[in-house]
Amino acid sequence: MMASMVRQLANFDFINVLENNFTGPIPPDMCKIGTMRELLILQNNFTGEIPESYANCTIMDRLRVCKNFSLSGVILAEIWGLPKLKIIDVAMNGLEGTIISYIERAKSLGEINVANNRRGVKKKKMAGG
């Protein structure tokens, strides 16, 4: 169902699909044109990885994909570098990897939640912290 709505959603700058029991991969085309400002896809049943196309959302300031439990892979380096990103919440998924040093490029980032990922997303100590 979510995939069938994507063409219409691609032009939106705010999407909230909290607690809808959507399944399958996160549709990559929601950020295809780069105008997504806030994407809230919490508490669904999405699987797979966070799409690479989300790194094109250069005006995104809030990305919340927590509590999907079966999301996997790593959080793309390009997402951490989105220039306006203030909040990233990827808690309670199956993500893995290390939050590497180039997270420091995210000058506007004010909130990070990577808690309770089954494969252990680890925070790397940031310079000065």
Side-chain angles (χ1 to χ4, degrees):
M1 180 170 189
M2 181 73 171
S4 65
M5 298 184 327
V6 169
R7 281 193 192 97
Q8 296 167 353
L9 296 176
N11 294 319
F12 282 61
D13 67 353
F14 175 81
I15 295 176
N16 181 348
V17 293
L18 172 68
E19 296 180 353
N20 279 287
N21 293 317
F22 289 123
T23 59
I26 297 174
D29 291 342
M30 286 196 295
C31 284
K32 186 176 182 179
I33 59 175
T35 59
M36 185 66 59
R37 191 176 45 81
E38 294 186 43
L39 182 60
L40 311 175
I41 53 176
L42 301 76
Q43 298 175 334
N44 285 285
N45 294 303
F46 287 113
T47 58
E49 300 181 352
I50 299 171
E52 290 181 23
S53 60
Y54 286 32
N56 297 329
C57 295
T58 57
I59 64 169
M60 185 179 297
D61 62 17
R62 189 161 66 151
L63 175 63
R64 298 194 67 206
V65 296
C66 63
K67 296 184 182 178
N68 282 287
F69 302 107
S70 293
L71 284 181
S72 59
V74 298
I75 305 163
L76 300 170
E78 293 84 3
I79 288 177
W80 292 110
L82 290 173
K84 297 185 184 249
L85 191 64
K86 294 177 184 165
I87 298 170
I88 184 165
D89 184 352
V90 295
M92 298 179 158
N93 290 299
L95 299 171
E96 60 187 328
T98 301
I99 299 173
I100 48 181
S101 60
Y102 43 69
I103 191 175
E104 295 171 337
R105 294 184 311 165
K107 302 298 182 202
S108 60
L109 197 59
E111 181 181 327
I112 301 170
N113 187 358
V114 296
N116 298 314
N117 275 282
R118 290 184 290 199
R119 295 185 187 106
V121 170
K122 303 261 190 270
K123 290 182 243 177
K124 185 174 183 178
K125 187 173 180 178
M126 295 173 65

